[in-house]
Amino acid sequence: MIENLNFPTVLRPIPTVREPEDLAKSSRNVNLSEQERQEAPLIYRALTEAKAMMEQGKRDQQAILAHVQSVIHQSQHAEIDYIELLSYPQLEALPTLKGQVILACAVKFERVRLIDNVLVDL
């Protein structure tokens, strides 16, 4: 949108601030039950494991997404809304994994929807 509309804006990504258990810091976290709060860090674990797979040369997008899904499904309370591998910062589908990509997901718990992502340089 910045490029398409010629906004005089620079997009500067910054690292996600995380709580001690690697859960992305968010005001929504207070809406997690104790059990959900224990399970929610699986989201970031799934993303970082998938990032490591890509950094080690894995390029099968379906296998990478399936790995993220299988880790998150270890939670009894998490329902995956989406898991996406896209170009970054364009956020477009990738025929092949190369360049800078973002692996992003949204996961619903009973009273909250959590989002998280990792950037990967390939």
Side-chain angles (χ1 to χ4, degrees):
M1 189 166 87
I2 293 169
E3 288 178 17
N4 291 344
L5 299 177
N6 297 314
F7 286 139
T9 303
V10 176
L11 178 65
R12 295 199 177 150
I14 60 170
T16 301
V17 177
R18 298 198 174 274
E19 299 196 10
E21 66 277 5
D22 284 332
L23 180 62
K25 192 172 269 299
S26 169
S27 60
R28 294 172 289 199
N29 293 348
V30 299
N31 295 315
L32 294 167
S33 71
E34 183 63 36
Q35 182 64 37
E36 290 170 338
R37 186 155 181 104
Q38 290 176 3
E39 295 173 6
L42 284 172
I43 299 167
Y44 186 62
R45 187 179 110 203
L47 295 174
T48 56
E49 287 179 6
K51 179 180 179 177
M53 291 168 63
M54 288 183 274
E55 290 174 338
Q56 294 167 5
K58 186 91 169 175
R59 295 294 183 268
D60 181 338
Q61 293 185 50
Q62 293 305 318
I64 293 164
L65 297 173
H67 179 79
V68 173
Q69 183 177 19
S70 71
V71 173
I72 293 172
H73 277 157
Q74 293 174 21
S75 166
Q76 295 177 3
H77 301 94
E79 178 185 328
I80 296 170
D81 187 3
Y82 69 81
I83 307 168
E84 297 281 345
L85 258 172
L86 303 167
S87 65
Y88 185 82
Q90 301 82 5
L91 303 179
E92 296 173 343
L94 294 163
T96 59
L97 290 181
K98 63 180 179 178
Q100 192 170 40
V101 301
I102 186 168
L103 175 58
C105 68
V107 179
K108 295 181 200 173
F109 287 90
E110 185 175 333
R111 298 183 334 203
V112 67
R113 180 175 178 261
L114 301 179
I115 58 172
D116 207 342
N117 67 76
V118 293
L119 294 178
V120 187
D121 287 311
L122 302 173

